[in-house]
Amino acid sequence: MYQVTAVAELPGHDDRAWAAAWNPSRPILSSCSADKSVRLYSYSSTSDGTLKFNHVSTIPTGHTKTVRSIAWSPSGKTLATGSFDSNIGIWEQEDIGEDELGAGEWECMTILEGHETECKSVAYSSTGTLLASCSRDKTVWVWEVHPDADFECLGVLMEHTQDVKCVAWHPSEEILASGSYDDTIKLYVDDPTEDWYCFATLTGHASTVWSLAWSPKGSYLASASDDKKVRIWKRADNYRWESVLAISAHDRTIYSVSWSVGRPKSGDGSLGWLATAGGDGSVKVWELTEPAEVEGISKNAPPEHRLIATLPSAHGVHDVNTVSWCPRGGMEDVLATTGDDGVTRIWKIVPE
Amino acid sequence: MPTEVFNPNPVVFSPAKTLGRKSELLAHSLWIDEPTSSDDETDNVELIDQDEVFDLIRSIYDPEHPNSLEELRVVSAPQVSIDQNRITVEFTPTVPHCGMSTLIGLCIRVRLLRSLPNRFKVDLFVKPGSHQSEHAVNKQLNDKERVAAALENPVLLDTVEQCLRDAGRRGQPVEA
């Protein structure tokens, strides 16, 4: 089994910290908050191998309401912010110096307007050519990213009947998933001759879907819900996804799920590590493995799941709003969490 | 703002006698927003009971009447239950089609958010069978993202503040 050990505590937000996002290419972590700001931290390994975090910059953002979500482009050069003021901010740093790592001025390149009410989530596609956003206005927008911070709206998807809480792109294909207050998950692709369209609706959750995470190779999707369950959906066919597993994971609403390759002891058939967190204040790590191939068992057998680590009260008495695995090589066992206490915390999963 | 009055003629009940007990003591610990040095609040657990929670919400005004939630029997002490750090508050809309129910619920939630130590998790429900959109109202009131967004809406926040303006009297008459 494993232990969740504390690496760093990063206070600074004056209000609830909603989300944290790791820069995929540079050692920078960002967090956003109801205080309308984004905070940036750089990190490095000290000689004894421990990680050290430094606050390098705060972007006041200019959003007039809560900054609910943040996302880095795959290049790590651009940061998108989604706010309750219904807008999306696109941020870049002028003249990135090699040793600056996020310090210095972050410039607002553009503001994407279009949503009628709170924007709740933003996400870049794996190639960085597309940005998705969603809102309480029940819509999902797909934006094409052009040079010079120019964005073109390719489609407004009005499939959900209630607020859309989250959007997440498949790790390698241009498939978009959205989770909603209407308890469903929708999957979308681009039809080359038509527009973006919804090709599947995944039902099973009994309440709001708060968060989505694709497995590292993209053959599974995990969803976290107010019904206190995490569901795992498997790609049965190109456009067919089926519910294969439901885990009663937490005692209160699950606000966040994150999936990474992790550091499983045996790499054989491993689907990596899934981290979950929510209103009960705990963070849990699950190891998932492909089902053994047994004659006669349907190919939609659920993956094996094992709870390998539990951290109660990760943010004291407060809710945990986001859990996020570091996507960078060599840090597959490092997690960031944000809480209602306004703090961002860094954790490492270590074998006992 | 809505102009329709959902329940033009509500039944008004006289408030229960204020409980004289420990309220003085508790009033002090709860009035002030979180104590500034509350790092170890779990070591210093204050006793919060059903009556205490009821005291906090009984004097909230109904959004469309000059009466308190207690006077309209929207809230009552037996409708509060506490299990360790989890508080469940049930309230009864005055009429089943009450369009003000989410606003009333929001007022109760804000009042408790501001008054209770933050180790408490509050779940808020309308009395089963008391509202035609029971599920929708419950879902909205327990979605913290929706609550947070509502409180960033200046018009809505102002309405909530109006309903909470005398909530601090905890069942006592308004001072002349």
Side-chain angles (χ1 to χ4, degrees):
Chain A
M1 286 308 198
Y2 297 78
Q3 241 179 355
V4 185
T5 57
V7 173
E9 178 182 336
L10 311 172
H13 283 300
D14 298 328
D15 205 336
R16 170 184 285 152
W18 272 114
W22 297 90
N23 186 302
S25 63
R26 294 186 293 156
I28 303 174
L29 175 74
S30 59
S31 63
C32 67
S33 159
D35 71 7
K36 309 176 182 73
S37 75
V38 168
R39 293 174 67 84
L40 296 152
Y41 302 87
S42 69
Y43 56 89
S44 55
S45 283
T46 56
S47 50
D48 63 352
T50 55
L51 284 170
K52 199 165 158 27
F53 284 76
N54 284 307
H55 174 243
V56 288
S57 188
T58 301
I59 311 176
T61 80
H63 281 298
T64 57
K65 291 179 178 174
T66 288
V67 182
R68 173 64 179 91
S69 86
I70 34 176
W72 290 98
S73 67
S75 70
K77 288 186 179 142
T78 312
L79 182 69
T81 51
S83 166
F84 281 179
D85 70 7
S86 79
N87 294 334
I88 298 155
I90 303 293
W91 307 84
E92 282 180 14
Q93 210 175 5
E94 271 190 284
D95 316 317
I96 306 172
E98 270 309 303
D99 43 35
E100 276 192 64
L101 286 177
E105 281 295 297
W106 284 79
E107 195 184 343
C108 181
M109 305 303 287
T110 190
I111 297 276
L112 304 180
E113 296 176 335
H115 283 298
E116 288 170 15
T117 53
E118 301 95 76
C119 176
K120 308 219 172 192
S121 170
V122 283
Y124 275 98
S125 67
S126 63
T127 57
T129 55
L130 299 168
L131 177 76
S133 62
C134 65
S135 159
R136 183 164 67 84
D137 66 12
K138 306 174 189 173
T139 66
V140 172
W141 291 49
V142 178
W143 309 79
E144 191 166 41
V145 184
H146 294 294
D148 300 320
D150 186 21
F151 287 75
E152 181 192 350
C153 177
L154 296 182
V156 177
L157 302 156
M158 296 185 279
E159 298 289 332
H160 285 293
T161 60
Q162 295 287 342
D163 314 19
V164 191
K165 293 288 198 184
C166 55
V167 280
W169 288 96
H170 187 277
S172 56
E173 297 173 47
E174 286 188 351
I175 304 176
L176 178 65
S178 63
S180 166
Y181 189 87
D182 70 10
D183 309 349
T184 71
I185 299 156
K186 306 258 180 194
L187 301 176
Y188 316 85
V189 286
D190 184 20
D191 179 338
T193 60
E194 298 274 340
D195 284 328
W196 280 79
Y197 73 100
C198 172
F199 71 84
T201 300
L202 309 183
T203 56
H205 279 299
S207 192
T208 303
V209 179
W210 277 92
S211 177
L212 295 166
W214 297 86
S215 67
K217 289 188 181 135
S219 49
Y220 292 88
L221 175 69
S223 54
S225 167
D226 180 52
D227 69 9
K228 303 166 198 159
K229 288 192 171 79
V230 169
R231 281 184 175 269
I232 308 290
W233 313 81
K234 184 179 187 175
R235 190 175 205 167
D237 202 349
N238 232 359
Y239 295 108
R240 206 156 54 82
W241 293 73
E242 289 179 357
S243 172
V244 288
L245 183 62
I247 310 169
S248 292
H250 288 264
D251 295 332
R252 292 183 68 83
T253 306
I254 309 173
Y255 290 121
S256 184
V257 58
S258 181
W259 202 332
S260 87
V261 289
R263 276 210 191 138
K265 286 191 177 117
S266 159
D268 285 352
S270 172
L271 291 166
W273 287 355
L274 189 74
T276 56
D280 67 5
S282 70
V283 173
K284 295 185 179 181
V285 180
W286 314 77
E287 187 166 292
L288 294 172
T289 319
E290 288 279 16
E293 282 198 28
V294 181
E295 197 81 26
I297 289 192
S298 94
K299 68 174 185 175
N300 286 333
E304 289 162 29
H305 71 286
R306 196 162 60 101
L307 179 63
I308 59 165
T310 301
L311 173 72
S313 310
H315 288 249
V317 298
H318 302 274
D319 291 6
V320 182
N321 295 317
T322 286
V323 59
S324 175
W325 290 106
C326 181
R328 302 184 70 231
M331 293 181 61
E332 297 86 356
D333 48 3
V334 177
L335 273 177
T337 57
T338 60
D340 275 358
D341 53 0
V343 178
T344 301
R345 288 171 201 266
I346 312 300
W347 312 91
K348 190 170 179 161
I349 315 302
V350 293
E352 267 177 350
Chain B
M1 289 306 295
T3 48
E4 181 190 356
V5 174
F6 290 95
N7 183 3
N9 195 13
V11 182
V12 179
F13 301 85
S14 58
K17 273 231 173 85
T18 316
L19 302 154
R21 29 153 222 122
K22 59 211 173 196
S23 51
E24 282 308 302
L25 188 81
L26 285 169
H28 283 291
S29 53
L30 285 175
W31 275 150
I32 313 155
D33 291 321
E34 276 304 282
T36 42
S37 56
S38 65
D39 293 353
D40 52 357
E41 61 184 24
T42 43
D43 299 341
N44 198 358
V45 178
E46 303 146 27
L47 185 75
I48 306 280
D49 62 12
Q50 210 178 38
D51 291 325
E52 175 60 25
V53 175
F54 174 59
D55 270 356
L56 289 170
I57 59 176
R58 62 198 295 187
S59 296
I60 298 171
Y61 287 118
D62 182 273
E64 56 180 15
H65 302 291
N67 306 102
S68 70
L69 297 187
E70 179 186 22
E71 287 165 343
L72 298 174
R73 296 222 173 145
V74 171
V75 296
S76 66
Q79 286 177 288
V80 176
S81 62
I82 302 178
D83 178 13
Q84 291 181 332
N85 287 341
R86 182 183 164 173
I87 296 179
T88 307
V89 177
E90 180 189 274
F91 66 102
T92 313
T94 51
V95 283
H97 57 276
C98 183
M100 289 289 151
S101 295
T102 45
L103 183 54
I104 293 171
L106 187 62
C107 292
I108 297 173
R109 182 163 284 288
V110 171
R111 175 69 180 146
L112 294 178
L113 268 175
R114 289 178 181 173
S115 317
L116 290 170
N118 52 23
R119 69 173 187 274
F120 287 104
K121 312 271 184 190
V122 176
D123 293 315
L124 203 50
F125 303 100
V126 296
K127 183 185 168 74
S130 70
H131 198 279
Q132 61 192 20
S133 310
E134 185 177 322
H135 177 71
V137 173
N138 289 344
K139 192 168 187 179
Q140 192 158 352
L141 290 174
N142 292 295
D143 181 315
K144 76 170 184 185
E145 189 178 48
R146 279 208 169 191
V147 169
L151 296 179
E152 287 189 359
N153 174 335
V155 178
L156 203 49
L157 183 61
D158 189 55
T159 310
V160 170
E161 298 292 5
Q162 278 304 307
C163 294
L164 296 183
R165 67 189 184 276
D166 286 329
R169 63 192 174 85
R170 304 156 70 89
Q172 305 280 357
V174 190
E175 280 180 36

